[in-house]
Amino acid sequence: MTVGARKHENSGRFSSLCFPDGKKNCFYCCPPIRDPEADSLDQLAEKIRIFRLNRRNLPGNRQNAGEIRGDSCWGLGFLDAEEKLIGCLLHPHQNQGVDLRHATGYRSKCAGTLCQEAVVFSRLNPVRQQFYLALSEGMDSFHYSSRRANPLMKILPWGAPVLEAIFFFEQGRPLARMDFISRYGFFWNELNYRLDAWLAGEIIKRYGLKVIIANPRKFLDFRRRLLSRLQQKINKKADNPPILPVHQLSIPLEFSRLLKFGLNLWEASAVKVGKLQEVILQEVERFT
Ligand code: SF4
Ligand code: SF4
């Protein structure tokens, strides 16, 4: 949900990941039909040029309004003369309450996009939010938005159990960006949140974060061996209705990702998933 500014300003002590502090903001999900691999730091010089032009030429662009492309939108530009904030020039908060986003043909997509990082961040309490926001201290909006450069955006998809464990391990004292990367960069450099977030959370619950920090390779080997054994056992025909997409079952999102991306199990009954979870948790008990 690329910002139009005021909507995302801090309310009370809670912060918004999209617009955390008035000095920078995120525009990563804009346009919503973008290439998912594209990064906010790609073609940086060209982006700066275009964001300036879009701000300057907005009235003319509106008159010649055309549909947007996946790699750009004529409504996306610098929101302020200092060029600190980047967002939607067509957003109601930029236009005395009038929503002009329909001119691009994608108003509902623009208004409805909310990334998983923003959802996870919104569920943290203000103290945790400030702890994690410290990682992006001093960044401009391009680097803040970047999923390549911003460690905050890399750690959030790991979800609450891992985020809580790191917070407590550091006794709530914010870390400098480089210290955080050198201590916790293995989460995104060596592990994969889609496969590992739920397992890591369960292991941390039992043995603490230290066992993973001390030996990420051991965790990785454990997950690989576990998934390869389970893959051989899973018999899709043995399932009984009702069979649902696993993300619709009452299980944590992180566990549904492990089923999908680790075991290629996209649909299953609650009973089958419950049994599988039991088997995995028995293995977790033997982790050390
Ligand atoms: S990518 Fe996420 S954090 Fe960034 S503007 Fe969109 S919803 Fe907000
Ligand atoms: S209309 Fe606004 S929110 Fe939608 S793609 Fe363009 S700049 Fe982004």
Side-chain angles (χ1 to χ4, degrees), residues 177-213:
R177 184 152 58 245
M178 289 308 164
D179 290 337
F180 188 86
I181 292 171
S182 76
R183 217 169 284 178
Y184 299 109
F186 68 86
F187 272 111
W188 56 87
N189 289 326
E190 296 178 46
L191 309 182
N192 175 342
Y193 75 86
R194 287 199 172 93
L195 302 178
D196 296 320
W198 183 76
L199 266 182
E202 292 300 320
I203 286 173
I204 288 167
K205 251 191 247 169
R206 287 162 181 78
Y207 312 109
L209 181 62
K210 221 171 184 170
V211 294
I212 297 186
I213 296 179

Side-chain angles (χ1 to χ4, degrees), residues 275-287:
K275 283 185 186 154
L276 207 46
Q277 188 173 14
E278 233 176 84
V279 172
I280 298 175
L281 289 178
Q282 280 164 10
E283 294 291 330
V284 167
E285 295 296 338
R286 290 193 275 274
F287 176 74

Side-chain angles (χ1 to χ4, degrees), residues 1-3 8 16-19 25-30 113-119 144-145 147 153:
M1 186 192 288
T2 298
V3 298
H8 293 271
S16 141
L17 186 66
C18 309
F19 194 86
N25 71 282
C26 178
F27 65 95
Y28 180 79
C29 59
C30 195
T113 303
L114 191 64
C115 71
Q116 57 169 347
E117 293 89 333
V119 173
Y144 180 74
S145 303
R147 268 48 179 177
M153 302 299 185

Side-chain angles (χ1 to χ4, degrees), residues 48-149:
I48 294 171
R49 191 183 71 78
I50 288 174
F51 291 168
R52 276 182 190 150
L53 278 179
N54 286 351
R55 176 176 164 82
R56 196 182 314 148
N57 298 341
L58 187 67
N61 286 344
R62 279 186 58 201
Q63 277 181 353
N64 308 312
E67 277 220 352
I68 58 176
R69 300 196 319 262
D71 57 351
S72 67
C73 171
W74 52 265
L76 183 62
F78 288 115
L79 296 176
D80 55 333
E82 295 80 38
E83 302 187 340
K84 285 191 300 187
L85 305 177
I86 298 161
C88 181
L89 299 160
L90 306 173
H91 193 280
H93 287 142
Q94 293 294 314
N95 297 285
Q96 290 80 45
V98 183
D99 192 344
L100 304 173
R101 291 175 290 184
H102 56 83
T104 65
Y106 287 91
R107 201 214 76 84
S108 59
K109 255 187 182 301
C110 296
T113 303
L114 191 64
C115 71
Q116 57 169 347
E117 293 89 333
V119 173
V120 172
F121 186 82
S122 71
R123 293 180 181 149
L124 297 175
N125 74 25
V127 178
R128 271 73 163 168
Q129 288 188 338
Q130 292 313 311
F131 173 84
Y132 282 105
L133 274 177
L135 300 175
S136 56
E137 190 62 41
M139 281 183 162
D140 58 40
S141 292
F142 290 100
H143 287 81
Y144 180 74
S145 303
S146 170
R147 268 48 179 177
R148 268 202 322 256

